[in-house]
Amino acid sequence: MVREESVIEIEGLRKVYRIGSERVVALNRIDLIINRGEICCLLGPSGSGKSTLLNMIAGLEKPTRGTITTLDERITSMGESRLAKFRQNKMGFVFQSYNLLPELTAIENVMLPLMFRGENRRKRKKAALRMLDMVGLRSHAKHKPTQMSGGQQQRVGIARAFVSDAPIVLADEPTGNLDSRTTAEIMDIIIDRARKRGQTLLIVTHDVRIATYADRVVHIFDGSIAKIESGRDIAASLSGVDEDNMLPFVGPAQTEPYQANADESVTITE
């Protein structure tokens, strides 16, 4: 039996914001391990704390308490310059709003992570064209974002996230602005690439249909882990459900608590 190798280890993670005299608890004692090559989904409604957790994993915010160890590095102890370098070398990002630079062409946007790594232009261009091929947009290499549809822009965003072959890819609501047909196409591309390269993929979403693509789904509610289950189990539970009448998230009334946090009341923001 092959032992699973952890890539991200989260221990006792807590985030408290102070707004005037009010304490806003966004994350409350999160413990989670994500393994190498795993596709993991953080599923929860708006305000649940899932995007805050993603920001912590990306090193974009510091926790109030607790630690995150990524690829054997304690990122919660890193300074900003070291964190920036770590993200450049170890992480790729897919954003809901695409985050393409409007003045750059598709190929120039895809080349950006390699430019920050110091790769020469010839190597950057070759890698970017290969990734645009992968997402079916080689013919749009010289198009700017305003000349592309939302689905095409997100394909460029995916190409950019995977071009550096980072061991970890973080996707924040990657299909939130797309129709159902384009959503399926985008998810197939992301999952296929991550599987083929053995990359760890962490997806944040409010949509249970996106969660079905994951190996493991972590339900986040009120800043805590409410339940962990497989994407396959969610897919089975949705079988035969009318999608037009389907709620995007199953709340805590349908889940068993994963970790009790009854010692204080919390106000959640995200």
Side-chain angles (χ1 to χ4, degrees), residues 93-113:
F93 296 87
V94 182
F95 305 96
Q96 177 179 354
S97 54
Y98 322 135
N99 282 20
L100 302 180
L101 296 183
E103 67 275 14
L104 299 184
T105 63
I107 191 170
E108 289 169 340
N109 269 286
V110 176
M111 288 165 60
L112 276 176

Side-chain angles (χ1 to χ4, degrees), residues 28 47 82 88 94 152 203 214:
N28 196 19
R82 190 177 168 200
Q88 286 175 19
V94 182
Q152 289 170 338
I203 304 168

Side-chain angles (χ1 to χ4, degrees), residues 139-266:
S139 61
H140 288 63
K142 294 185 178 180
H143 286 52
K144 292 187 176 181
T146 54
Q147 298 172 302
M148 293 183 284
S149 67
Q152 289 170 338
Q153 289 183 63
Q154 191 59 298
R155 286 171 184 257
V156 174
I158 292 167
R160 180 185 58 193
F162 284 96
V163 71
S164 60
D165 216 17
I168 298 169
V169 176
L170 307 179
D172 189 6
E173 298 279 8
T175 61
N177 292 333
L178 305 176
D179 60 48
S180 58
R181 178 179 175 181
T182 307
T183 289
E185 293 172 353
I186 292 298
M187 288 305 302
D188 286 343
I189 291 170
I190 294 175
I191 299 300
D192 182 66
R193 180 67 182 183
R195 294 279 192 215
K196 284 180 177 177
R197 305 299 294 181
Q199 291 163 292
T200 300
L201 175 62
L202 182 60
I203 304 168
V204 165
T205 186
H206 66 281
D207 191 339
V208 290
R209 289 163 290 194
I210 301 304
T212 62
Y213 288 86
D215 299 320
R216 199 159 48 117
V217 180
V218 180
H219 294 260
I220 305 293
F221 197 83
D222 284 357
S224 299
I225 294 176
K227 181 181 181 181
I228 297 179
E229 62 182 326
S230 72
R232 185 177 298 176
D233 287 343
I234 291 180
S237 71
L238 295 180
S239 179
V241 175
D242 181 357
E243 290 195 6
D244 290 336
N245 297 316
M246 187 174 68
L247 294 175
F249 177 74
V250 179
Q254 287 77 33
T255 63
E256 294 297 325
Y258 175 76
Q259 179 178 343
N261 291 301
D263 56 327
E264 65 178 302
S265 60
V266 297

